[in-house]
Amino acid sequence: MPQPPSRTKFYKDKRNGKVMGVCAGIADYTGFDVTLVRIMFLMTVFMSGGSTVPLYFIAGWIADNRPEGISSSDEEERRFWQGVRASPRKSARQIHSQFRDIDRRLADIESFVTSENRVLAQQIDDLR
């Protein structure tokens, strides 16, 4: 059975790309605007005398195409996965903190439901 595509892996994005989709893939991976990535790439080409062009084609040749099932239309989900790629430990701490908060709230609800609430019991008896 094939392994599902990873949301933390770099993929080239041919659908949004101009040449091979490497700049569009970098933009998707980092969360930067694709135009900014393209401008930065062109600046590095001119500043390096063209020595980065072979690196671009090597990246385009080695990198996998972005799978169809990995695209997300939800902006919040895209930001989440970009955050995971940028700082996995920070993302894990945030998720852990959110689970602790949910656990605390559930414990508060459980203690309220299971505790003796004499006022509520009296109101129920009055309704009978």
Short mmCIF file of all heavy atoms in Angstrom, two decimals, residues 29-99:
data_model
loop_
_atom_site.label_atom_id
_atom_site.label_comp_id
_atom_site.label_asym_id
_atom_site.label_seq_id
_atom_site.Cartn_x
_atom_site.Cartn_y
_atom_site.Cartn_z
N TYR A 29 6.08 26.15 0.25
CA TYR A 29 6.75 25.52 1.38
C TYR A 29 7.02 26.53 2.50
O TYR A 29 6.84 26.24 3.67
CB TYR A 29 8.05 24.88 0.92
CG TYR A 29 8.75 24.06 1.97
CD1 TYR A 29 8.35 22.75 2.22
CD2 TYR A 29 9.81 24.58 2.70
CE1 TYR A 29 8.99 21.98 3.17
CE2 TYR A 29 10.46 23.82 3.66
CZ TYR A 29 10.04 22.52 3.89
OH TYR A 29 10.67 21.76 4.84
N THR A 30 7.45 27.74 2.13
CA THR A 30 7.83 28.74 3.12
C THR A 30 6.71 29.68 3.51
O THR A 30 6.76 30.30 4.57
CB THR A 30 9.00 29.58 2.61
OG1 THR A 30 8.60 30.25 1.41
CG2 THR A 30 10.22 28.73 2.36
N GLY A 31 5.72 29.85 2.64
CA GLY A 31 4.64 30.78 2.93
C GLY A 31 4.88 32.17 2.36
O GLY A 31 4.06 33.06 2.55
N PHE A 32 6.01 32.36 1.66
CA PHE A 32 6.27 33.65 1.02
C PHE A 32 5.43 33.77 -0.24
O PHE A 32 4.98 32.77 -0.81
CB PHE A 32 7.75 33.79 0.64
CG PHE A 32 8.67 33.95 1.81
CD1 PHE A 32 9.75 33.09 1.97
CD2 PHE A 32 8.48 34.95 2.73
CE1 PHE A 32 10.61 33.23 3.03
CE2 PHE A 32 9.33 35.09 3.81
CZ PHE A 32 10.40 34.24 3.96
N ASP A 33 5.27 34.99 -0.70
CA ASP A 33 4.57 35.24 -1.96
C ASP A 33 5.43 34.72 -3.11
O ASP A 33 6.65 34.91 -3.12
CB ASP A 33 4.31 36.74 -2.12
CG ASP A 33 3.54 37.05 -3.38
OD1 ASP A 33 2.51 36.40 -3.64
OD2 ASP A 33 3.97 37.95 -4.12
N VAL A 34 4.81 34.08 -4.08
CA VAL A 34 5.56 33.46 -5.18
C VAL A 34 6.29 34.52 -6.01
O VAL A 34 7.41 34.28 -6.49
CB VAL A 34 4.64 32.58 -6.06
CG1 VAL A 34 3.64 33.40 -6.84
CG2 VAL A 34 5.47 31.71 -6.99
N THR A 35 5.73 35.70 -6.15
CA THR A 35 6.40 36.77 -6.88
C THR A 35 7.68 37.20 -6.17
O THR A 35 8.71 37.41 -6.81
CB THR A 35 5.46 37.98 -7.05
OG1 THR A 35 4.24 37.54 -7.64
CG2 THR A 35 6.07 39.05 -7.93
N LEU A 36 7.62 37.29 -4.87
CA LEU A 36 8.80 37.64 -4.08
C LEU A 36 9.90 36.57 -4.23
O LEU A 36 11.07 36.90 -4.39
CB LEU A 36 8.43 37.80 -2.61
CG LEU A 36 9.56 38.13 -1.65
CD1 LEU A 36 10.14 39.50 -1.96
CD2 LEU A 36 9.06 38.08 -0.22
N VAL A 37 9.51 35.31 -4.22
CA VAL A 37 10.48 34.23 -4.39
C VAL A 37 11.12 34.32 -5.77
O VAL A 37 12.34 34.15 -5.91
CB VAL A 37 9.82 32.85 -4.17
CG1 VAL A 37 10.77 31.72 -4.52
CG2 VAL A 37 9.33 32.71 -2.74
N ARG A 38 10.33 34.59 -6.78
CA ARG A 38 10.88 34.70 -8.14
C ARG A 38 11.84 35.89 -8.26
O ARG A 38 12.90 35.78 -8.88
CB ARG A 38 9.75 34.85 -9.15
CG ARG A 38 8.98 33.56 -9.35
CD ARG A 38 7.85 33.71 -10.32
NE ARG A 38 7.14 32.45 -10.45
CZ ARG A 38 5.82 32.34 -10.47
NH1 ARG A 38 5.06 33.41 -10.40
NH2 ARG A 38 5.25 31.16 -10.57
N ILE A 39 11.49 37.01 -7.65
CA ILE A 39 12.38 38.18 -7.67
C ILE A 39 13.67 37.87 -6.94
O ILE A 39 14.77 38.21 -7.42
CB ILE A 39 11.66 39.41 -7.07
CG1 ILE A 39 10.54 39.88 -8.01
CG2 ILE A 39 12.65 40.55 -6.80
CD1 ILE A 39 9.63 40.94 -7.41
N MET A 40 13.57 37.21 -5.79
CA MET A 40 14.78 36.85 -5.04
C MET A 40 15.64 35.88 -5.83
O MET A 40 16.88 35.98 -5.82
CB MET A 40 14.40 36.27 -3.67
CG MET A 40 13.84 37.31 -2.74
SD MET A 40 13.36 36.83 -1.06
CE MET A 40 13.57 35.11 -0.93
N PHE A 41 15.02 34.95 -6.54
CA PHE A 41 15.79 34.01 -7.37
C PHE A 41 16.51 34.76 -8.50
O PHE A 41 17.69 34.51 -8.75
CB PHE A 41 14.88 32.92 -7.95
CG PHE A 41 15.60 32.02 -8.91
CD1 PHE A 41 16.53 31.10 -8.45
CD2 PHE A 41 15.37 32.11 -10.27
CE1 PHE A 41 17.22 30.28 -9.34
CE2 PHE A 41 16.04 31.30 -11.16
CZ PHE A 41 16.97 30.38 -10.68
N LEU A 42 15.82 35.67 -9.16
CA LEU A 42 16.45 36.43 -10.23
C LEU A 42 17.61 37.27 -9.69
O LEU A 42 18.65 37.41 -10.34
CB LEU A 42 15.43 37.32 -10.94
CG LEU A 42 14.42 36.59 -11.83
CD1 LEU A 42 13.40 37.56 -12.38
CD2 LEU A 42 15.14 35.86 -12.96
N MET A 43 17.44 37.83 -8.50
CA MET A 43 18.53 38.60 -7.89
C MET A 43 19.73 37.72 -7.61
O MET A 43 20.87 38.13 -7.86
CB MET A 43 18.04 39.28 -6.60
CG MET A 43 17.11 40.44 -6.87
SD MET A 43 16.39 41.17 -5.37
CE MET A 43 17.82 41.46 -4.35
N THR A 44 19.49 36.50 -7.13
CA THR A 44 20.62 35.60 -6.87
C THR A 44 21.28 35.16 -8.18
O THR A 44 22.50 34.97 -8.21
CB THR A 44 20.19 34.36 -6.07
OG1 THR A 44 19.19 33.65 -6.78
CG2 THR A 44 19.71 34.73 -4.69
N VAL A 45 20.51 35.03 -9.24
CA VAL A 45 21.10 34.67 -10.53
C VAL A 45 22.04 35.77 -10.99
O VAL A 45 23.18 35.51 -11.41
CB VAL A 45 20.00 34.40 -11.59
CG1 VAL A 45 20.59 34.32 -12.99
CG2 VAL A 45 19.27 33.12 -11.27
N PHE A 46 21.58 37.02 -10.92
CA PHE A 46 22.43 38.13 -11.36
C PHE A 46 23.62 38.35 -10.44
O PHE A 46 24.72 38.64 -10.89
CB PHE A 46 21.61 39.42 -11.48
CG PHE A 46 20.65 39.40 -12.63
CD1 PHE A 46 19.29 39.59 -12.41
CD2 PHE A 46 21.07 39.16 -13.93
CE1 PHE A 46 18.39 39.57 -13.47
CE2 PHE A 46 20.19 39.14 -14.99
CZ PHE A 46 18.85 39.34 -14.76
N MET A 47 23.42 38.18 -9.14
CA MET A 47 24.51 38.41 -8.19
C MET A 47 25.56 37.29 -8.23
O MET A 47 26.72 37.52 -7.92
CB MET A 47 23.95 38.57 -6.78
CG MET A 47 23.14 39.84 -6.61
SD MET A 47 22.28 39.94 -5.05
CE MET A 47 23.63 40.31 -3.96
N SER A 48 25.13 36.10 -8.60
CA SER A 48 26.08 34.98 -8.63
C SER A 48 26.66 34.75 -10.01
O SER A 48 27.44 33.83 -10.20
CB SER A 48 25.38 33.70 -8.15
OG SER A 48 24.42 33.29 -9.11
N GLY A 49 26.27 35.58 -10.95
CA GLY A 49 26.79 35.41 -12.31
C GLY A 49 26.17 34.22 -13.03
O GLY A 49 26.77 33.68 -13.96
N GLY A 50 25.01 33.78 -12.60
CA GLY A 50 24.32 32.68 -13.27
C GLY A 50 24.63 31.30 -12.72
O GLY A 50 24.14 30.31 -13.24
N SER A 51 25.42 31.24 -11.66
CA SER A 51 25.79 29.91 -11.14
C SER A 51 24.65 29.22 -10.39
O SER A 51 24.74 28.03 -10.11
CB SER A 51 27.02 30.02 -10.22
OG SER A 51 26.71 30.81 -9.08
N THR A 52 23.58 29.94 -10.07
CA THR A 52 22.45 29.30 -9.38
C THR A 52 21.45 28.67 -10.35
O THR A 52 20.59 27.91 -9.93
CB THR A 52 21.71 30.32 -8.49
OG1 THR A 52 21.32 31.43 -9.29
CG2 THR A 52 22.58 30.78 -7.34
N VAL A 53 21.57 28.97 -11.62
CA VAL A 53 20.65 28.39 -12.62
C VAL A 53 20.75 26.87 -12.65
O VAL A 53 19.71 26.19 -12.66
CB VAL A 53 20.88 29.02 -14.01
CG1 VAL A 53 20.05 28.31 -15.07
CG2 VAL A 53 20.56 30.49 -13.98
N PRO A 54 21.96 26.28 -12.65
CA PRO A 54 22.02 24.81 -12.61
C PRO A 54 21.37 24.23 -11.34
O PRO A 54 20.74 23.17 -11.40
CB PRO A 54 23.51 24.50 -12.64
CG PRO A 54 24.15 25.69 -13.24
CD PRO A 54 23.30 26.85 -12.85
N LEU A 55 21.49 24.94 -10.22
CA LEU A 55 20.85 24.47 -8.99
C LEU A 55 19.33 24.44 -9.13
O LEU A 55 18.66 23.55 -8.62
CB LEU A 55 21.25 25.35 -7.80
CG LEU A 55 22.72 25.32 -7.41
CD1 LEU A 55 22.99 26.33 -6.31
CD2 LEU A 55 23.12 23.93 -6.98
N TYR A 56 18.80 25.44 -9.83
CA TYR A 56 17.35 25.48 -10.08
C TYR A 56 16.91 24.25 -10.87
O TYR A 56 15.94 23.59 -10.52
CB TYR A 56 17.00 26.76 -10.84
CG TYR A 56 15.53 26.89 -11.16
CD1 TYR A 56 14.67 27.50 -10.27
CD2 TYR A 56 15.00 26.39 -12.35
CE1 TYR A 56 13.32 27.63 -10.55
CE2 TYR A 56 13.65 26.51 -12.64
CZ TYR A 56 12.82 27.13 -11.74
OH TYR A 56 11.49 27.24 -12.01
N PHE A 57 17.65 23.95 -11.94
CA PHE A 57 17.27 22.81 -12.78
C PHE A 57 17.49 21.48 -12.06
O PHE A 57 16.73 20.53 -12.25
CB PHE A 57 18.02 22.85 -14.11
CG PHE A 57 17.48 23.91 -15.03
CD1 PHE A 57 18.18 25.07 -15.26
CD2 PHE A 57 16.24 23.75 -15.64
CE1 PHE A 57 17.67 26.06 -16.09
CE2 PHE A 57 15.72 24.73 -16.48
CZ PHE A 57 16.44 25.89 -16.70
N ILE A 58 18.52 21.40 -11.22
CA ILE A 58 18.72 20.18 -10.43
C ILE A 58 17.56 20.00 -9.45
O ILE A 58 17.03 18.89 -9.31
CB ILE A 58 20.07 20.24 -9.69
CG1 ILE A 58 21.22 20.11 -10.69
CG2 ILE A 58 20.15 19.15 -8.63
CD1 ILE A 58 22.60 20.38 -10.11
N ALA A 59 17.14 21.09 -8.80
CA ALA A 59 16.00 21.01 -7.88
C ALA A 59 14.73 20.62 -8.63
O ALA A 59 13.92 19.82 -8.15
CB ALA A 59 15.80 22.34 -7.16
N GLY A 60 14.55 21.16 -9.84
CA GLY A 60 13.38 20.81 -10.65
C GLY A 60 13.41 19.38 -11.11
O GLY A 60 12.36 18.75 -11.30
N TRP A 61 14.58 18.84 -11.29
CA TRP A 61 14.71 17.45 -11.73
C TRP A 61 14.54 16.48 -10.57
O TRP A 61 13.92 15.43 -10.72
CB TRP A 61 16.08 17.28 -12.39
CG TRP A 61 16.34 15.91 -12.92
CD1 TRP A 61 15.62 15.25 -13.87
CD2 TRP A 61 17.40 15.04 -12.53
NE1 TRP A 61 16.17 14.02 -14.10
CE2 TRP A 61 17.27 13.87 -13.28
CE3 TRP A 61 18.44 15.15 -11.63
CZ2 TRP A 61 18.14 12.80 -13.15
CZ3 TRP A 61 19.31 14.10 -11.50
CH2 TRP A 61 19.15 12.93 -12.26
N ILE A 62 15.06 16.84 -9.39
CA ILE A 62 15.03 15.93 -8.24
C ILE A 62 13.70 15.97 -7.49
O ILE A 62 13.19 14.94 -7.06
CB ILE A 62 16.19 16.27 -7.27
CG1 ILE A 62 17.53 15.92 -7.93
CG2 ILE A 62 16.05 15.52 -5.96
CD1 ILE A 62 18.73 16.35 -7.12
N ALA A 63 13.15 17.15 -7.31
CA ALA A 63 11.94 17.31 -6.49
C ALA A 63 10.74 16.62 -7.13
O ALA A 63 10.59 16.59 -8.35
CB ALA A 63 11.64 18.78 -6.27
N ASP A 64 9.89 16.08 -6.27
CA ASP A 64 8.65 15.45 -6.74
C ASP A 64 7.60 16.50 -7.05
O ASP A 64 7.60 17.59 -6.48
CB ASP A 64 8.10 14.52 -5.65
CG ASP A 64 9.01 13.35 -5.36
OD1 ASP A 64 9.72 12.92 -6.29
OD2 ASP A 64 9.03 12.88 -4.21
N ASN A 65 6.69 16.16 -7.95
CA ASN A 65 5.55 17.04 -8.23
C ASN A 65 4.60 17.02 -7.04
O ASN A 65 4.46 16.01 -6.35
CB ASN A 65 4.81 16.59 -9.49
CG ASN A 65 5.61 16.80 -10.74
OD1 ASN A 65 6.42 17.72 -10.82
ND2 ASN A 65 5.40 15.94 -11.72
N ARG A 66 3.95 18.13 -6.84
CA ARG A 66 3.00 18.23 -5.74
C ARG A 66 1.80 17.33 -6.04
O ARG A 66 1.15 17.46 -7.08
CB ARG A 66 2.54 19.67 -5.59
CG ARG A 66 1.62 19.85 -4.42
CD ARG A 66 1.23 21.27 -4.28
NE ARG A 66 0.33 21.35 -3.14
CZ ARG A 66 0.16 22.40 -2.43
NH1 ARG A 66 0.80 23.49 -2.72
NH2 ARG A 66 -0.67 22.39 -1.42
N PRO A 67 1.46 16.41 -5.10
CA PRO A 67 0.31 15.53 -5.32
C PRO A 67 -1.00 16.31 -5.29
O PRO A 67 -1.11 17.34 -4.62
CB PRO A 67 0.38 14.55 -4.14
CG PRO A 67 1.74 14.71 -3.57
CD PRO A 67 2.20 16.08 -3.90
N GLU A 68 -1.97 15.81 -6.00
CA GLU A 68 -3.28 16.46 -6.06
C GLU A 68 -3.98 16.48 -4.71
O GLU A 68 -4.60 17.45 -4.34
CB GLU A 68 -4.18 15.77 -7.10
CG GLU A 68 -3.77 16.01 -8.52
CD GLU A 68 -3.94 17.46 -8.93
OE1 GLU A 68 -4.91 18.11 -8.52
OE2 GLU A 68 -3.07 17.94 -9.68
N GLY A 69 -3.89 15.38 -3.97
CA GLY A 69 -4.62 15.27 -2.70
C GLY A 69 -4.07 16.13 -1.59
O GLY A 69 -4.70 16.27 -0.54
N ILE A 70 -2.93 16.74 -1.78
CA ILE A 70 -2.31 17.52 -0.72
C ILE A 70 -2.73 18.98 -0.74
O ILE A 70 -2.57 19.69 0.24
CB ILE A 70 -0.78 17.39 -0.80
CG1 ILE A 70 -0.17 17.61 0.57
CG2 ILE A 70 -0.19 18.36 -1.77
CD1 ILE A 70 1.27 17.24 0.65
N SER A 71 -3.28 19.44 -1.85
CA SER A 71 -3.67 20.84 -1.94
C SER A 71 -4.84 21.12 -1.00
O SER A 71 -5.75 20.33 -0.85
CB SER A 71 -4.03 21.22 -3.37
OG SER A 71 -5.10 20.44 -3.81
N SER A 72 -4.76 22.28 -0.36
CA SER A 72 -5.79 22.66 0.60
C SER A 72 -6.32 24.03 0.24
O SER A 72 -5.55 24.96 0.00
CB SER A 72 -5.20 22.68 2.01
OG SER A 72 -6.13 23.21 2.91
N SER A 73 -7.63 24.16 0.22
CA SER A 73 -8.22 25.46 -0.06
C SER A 73 -8.40 26.26 1.23
O SER A 73 -8.64 27.45 1.18
CB SER A 73 -9.58 25.27 -0.74
OG SER A 73 -10.44 24.52 0.11
N ASP A 74 -8.24 25.63 2.37
CA ASP A 74 -8.41 26.29 3.65
C ASP A 74 -7.12 27.02 4.03
O ASP A 74 -6.07 26.41 4.19
CB ASP A 74 -8.75 25.25 4.72
CG ASP A 74 -9.09 25.86 6.06
OD1 ASP A 74 -9.33 27.08 6.11
OD2 ASP A 74 -9.12 25.11 7.05
N GLU A 75 -7.20 28.33 4.15
CA GLU A 75 -6.03 29.16 4.44
C GLU A 75 -5.44 28.85 5.81
O GLU A 75 -4.22 28.83 5.98
CB GLU A 75 -6.41 30.65 4.36
CG GLU A 75 -5.26 31.60 4.53
CD GLU A 75 -4.24 31.51 3.42
OE1 GLU A 75 -4.59 31.14 2.28
OE2 GLU A 75 -3.05 31.80 3.68
N GLU A 76 -6.29 28.58 6.79
CA GLU A 76 -5.81 28.26 8.13
C GLU A 76 -4.99 26.96 8.14
O GLU A 76 -3.94 26.87 8.78
CB GLU A 76 -6.98 28.14 9.10
CG GLU A 76 -6.57 27.90 10.53
CD GLU A 76 -7.76 27.83 11.47
OE1 GLU A 76 -8.88 28.20 11.08
OE2 GLU A 76 -7.57 27.38 12.61
N GLU A 77 -5.44 25.98 7.38
CA GLU A 77 -4.71 24.71 7.29
C GLU A 77 -3.36 24.91 6.60
O GLU A 77 -2.35 24.35 7.01
CB GLU A 77 -5.54 23.67 6.55
CG GLU A 77 -4.90 22.30 6.53
CD GLU A 77 -5.77 21.26 5.84
OE1 GLU A 77 -6.94 21.53 5.55
OE2 GLU A 77 -5.25 20.17 5.58
N ARG A 78 -3.34 25.73 5.54
CA ARG A 78 -2.07 26.02 4.85
C ARG A 78 -1.08 26.68 5.80
O ARG A 78 0.10 26.31 5.85
CB ARG A 78 -2.31 26.94 3.65
CG ARG A 78 -2.64 26.22 2.38
CD ARG A 78 -2.68 27.14 1.16
NE ARG A 78 -1.45 27.88 0.97
CZ ARG A 78 -1.38 29.22 0.99
NH1 ARG A 78 -2.43 29.96 1.19
NH2 ARG A 78 -0.23 29.83 0.80
N ARG A 79 -1.55 27.66 6.57
CA ARG A 79 -0.66 28.34 7.53
C ARG A 79 -0.16 27.37 8.59
O ARG A 79 0.98 27.45 9.02
CB ARG A 79 -1.39 29.50 8.19
CG ARG A 79 -1.41 30.73 7.34
CD ARG A 79 -1.78 31.95 8.16
NE ARG A 79 -2.52 32.85 7.31
CZ ARG A 79 -3.75 33.28 7.54
NH1 ARG A 79 -4.38 32.93 8.61
NH2 ARG A 79 -4.34 34.08 6.70
N PHE A 80 -1.04 26.47 9.04
CA PHE A 80 -0.63 25.50 10.05
C PHE A 80 0.52 24.64 9.54
O PHE A 80 1.54 24.47 10.21
CB PHE A 80 -1.81 24.61 10.46
CG PHE A 80 -1.41 23.44 11.30
CD1 PHE A 80 -1.10 23.61 12.64
CD2 PHE A 80 -1.29 22.17 10.75
CE1 PHE A 80 -0.71 22.54 13.43
CE2 PHE A 80 -0.89 21.09 11.53
CZ PHE A 80 -0.61 21.28 12.87
N TRP A 81 0.38 24.08 8.33
CA TRP A 81 1.42 23.20 7.80
C TRP A 81 2.69 23.97 7.49
O TRP A 81 3.80 23.43 7.63
CB TRP A 81 0.91 22.43 6.59
CG TRP A 81 -0.01 21.33 7.02
CD1 TRP A 81 -1.37 21.27 6.82
CD2 TRP A 81 0.34 20.16 7.76
NE1 TRP A 81 -1.87 20.14 7.39
CE2 TRP A 81 -0.85 19.43 7.97
CE3 TRP A 81 1.52 19.66 8.26
CZ2 TRP A 81 -0.86 18.22 8.65
CZ3 TRP A 81 1.52 18.45 8.93
CH2 TRP A 81 0.32 17.75 9.13
N GLN A 82 2.60 25.22 7.07
CA GLN A 82 3.80 26.03 6.87
C GLN A 82 4.50 26.27 8.20
O GLN A 82 5.72 26.26 8.28
CB GLN A 82 3.45 27.35 6.19
CG GLN A 82 3.11 27.17 4.73
CD GLN A 82 2.49 28.40 4.11
OE1 GLN A 82 2.13 29.35 4.79
NE2 GLN A 82 2.36 28.39 2.79
N GLY A 83 3.73 26.46 9.26
CA GLY A 83 4.31 26.62 10.59
C GLY A 83 4.99 25.35 11.07
O GLY A 83 6.04 25.39 11.71
N VAL A 84 4.39 24.21 10.75
CA VAL A 84 4.99 22.92 11.11
C VAL A 84 6.32 22.75 10.39
O VAL A 84 7.31 22.31 10.98
CB VAL A 84 4.03 21.75 10.79
CG1 VAL A 84 4.74 20.41 10.90
CG2 VAL A 84 2.82 21.79 11.70
N ARG A 85 6.35 23.11 9.10
CA ARG A 85 7.60 22.99 8.35
C ARG A 85 8.66 23.94 8.87
O ARG A 85 9.84 23.60 8.93
CB ARG A 85 7.34 23.24 6.86
CG ARG A 85 6.55 22.14 6.20
CD ARG A 85 6.44 22.35 4.70
NE ARG A 85 5.63 23.48 4.32
CZ ARG A 85 4.39 23.38 3.83
NH1 ARG A 85 3.84 22.21 3.65
NH2 ARG A 85 3.73 24.46 3.49
N ALA A 86 8.25 25.14 9.27
CA ALA A 86 9.21 26.14 9.74
C ALA A 86 9.76 25.80 11.12
O ALA A 86 10.94 25.94 11.38
CB ALA A 86 8.57 27.52 9.76
N SER A 87 8.88 25.36 12.02
CA SER A 87 9.31 25.07 13.39
C SER A 87 8.47 23.94 13.97
O SER A 87 7.45 24.18 14.63
CB SER A 87 9.16 26.33 14.25
OG SER A 87 9.51 26.05 15.57
N PRO A 88 8.88 22.69 13.75
CA PRO A 88 8.10 21.56 14.25
C PRO A 88 7.95 21.55 15.77
O PRO A 88 6.89 21.22 16.29
CB PRO A 88 8.89 20.34 13.78
CG PRO A 88 9.76 20.82 12.69
CD PRO A 88 10.02 22.26 12.96
N ARG A 89 9.00 21.91 16.50
CA ARG A 89 8.92 21.90 17.97
C ARG A 89 7.92 22.93 18.48
O ARG A 89 7.16 22.66 19.41
CB ARG A 89 10.29 22.16 18.58
CG ARG A 89 11.20 20.99 18.45
CD ARG A 89 12.48 21.22 19.17
NE ARG A 89 13.36 20.08 18.94
CZ ARG A 89 14.45 19.86 19.60
NH1 ARG A 89 14.83 20.71 20.54
NH2 ARG A 89 15.19 18.82 19.33
N LYS A 90 7.95 24.11 17.89
CA LYS A 90 7.00 25.15 18.30
C LYS A 90 5.57 24.70 18.02
O LYS A 90 4.68 24.89 18.85
CB LYS A 90 7.31 26.46 17.56
CG LYS A 90 6.41 27.60 17.94
CD LYS A 90 6.79 28.86 17.19
CE LYS A 90 5.82 29.98 17.49
NZ LYS A 90 6.09 31.17 16.67
N SER A 91 5.35 24.08 16.86
CA SER A 91 4.01 23.59 16.52
C SER A 91 3.57 22.50 17.49
O SER A 91 2.42 22.48 17.92
CB SER A 91 4.00 23.05 15.10
OG SER A 91 4.30 24.06 14.19
N ALA A 92 4.49 21.61 17.86
CA ALA A 92 4.15 20.54 18.81
C ALA A 92 3.81 21.13 20.17
O ALA A 92 2.87 20.67 20.83
CB ALA A 92 5.31 19.56 18.93
N ARG A 93 4.55 22.16 20.59
CA ARG A 93 4.24 22.81 21.88
C ARG A 93 2.87 23.47 21.84
O ARG A 93 2.11 23.41 22.80
CB ARG A 93 5.31 23.85 22.22
CG ARG A 93 6.58 23.26 22.79
CD ARG A 93 7.45 24.33 23.43
NE ARG A 93 7.78 25.42 22.54
CZ ARG A 93 8.86 25.49 21.77
NH1 ARG A 93 9.72 24.50 21.77
NH2 ARG A 93 9.07 26.54 21.00
N GLN A 94 2.53 24.13 20.71
CA GLN A 94 1.23 24.78 20.59
C GLN A 94 0.10 23.76 20.63
O GLN A 94 -0.91 23.97 21.28
CB GLN A 94 1.16 25.59 19.30
CG GLN A 94 1.98 26.85 19.32
CD GLN A 94 1.97 27.56 17.97
OE1 GLN A 94 1.66 26.98 16.93
NE2 GLN A 94 2.34 28.83 17.99
N ILE A 95 0.28 22.65 19.92
CA ILE A 95 -0.75 21.60 19.92
C ILE A 95 -0.89 21.02 21.32
O ILE A 95 -2.00 20.81 21.80
CB ILE A 95 -0.41 20.52 18.89
CG1 ILE A 95 -0.53 21.08 17.48
CG2 ILE A 95 -1.31 19.30 19.05
CD1 ILE A 95 0.02 20.17 16.40
N HIS A 96 0.24 20.78 21.99
CA HIS A 96 0.22 20.25 23.36
C HIS A 96 -0.52 21.22 24.29
O HIS A 96 -1.34 20.80 25.12
CB HIS A 96 1.64 20.00 23.85
CG HIS A 96 1.72 19.38 25.20
ND1 HIS A 96 1.32 18.09 25.44
CD2 HIS A 96 2.14 19.88 26.38
CE1 HIS A 96 1.49 17.81 26.72
NE2 HIS A 96 2.00 18.89 27.31
N SER A 97 -0.27 22.50 24.14
CA SER A 97 -0.93 23.52 24.96
C SER A 97 -2.44 23.53 24.69
O SER A 97 -3.24 23.65 25.62
CB SER A 97 -0.33 24.89 24.65
OG SER A 97 -1.04 25.90 25.29
N GLN A 98 -2.82 23.40 23.43
CA GLN A 98 -4.25 23.39 23.09
C GLN A 98 -4.93 22.15 23.68
O GLN A 98 -6.05 22.24 24.20
CB GLN A 98 -4.44 23.42 21.58
CG GLN A 98 -4.10 24.74 20.96
CD GLN A 98 -4.13 24.72 19.44
OE1 GLN A 98 -4.12 23.66 18.82
NE2 GLN A 98 -4.14 25.89 18.83
N PHE A 99 -4.25 21.00 23.63
CA PHE A 99 -4.83 19.79 24.23
C PHE A 99 -4.95 19.91 25.75
O PHE A 99 -5.93 19.45 26.34
CB PHE A 99 -4.02 18.54 23.86
CG PHE A 99 -4.40 17.95 22.54
CD1 PHE A 99 -3.44 17.74 21.56
CD2 PHE A 99 -5.71 17.60 22.27
CE1 PHE A 99 -3.80 17.20 20.34
CE2 PHE A 99 -6.07 17.05 21.05
CZ PHE A 99 -5.11 16.85 20.08
#
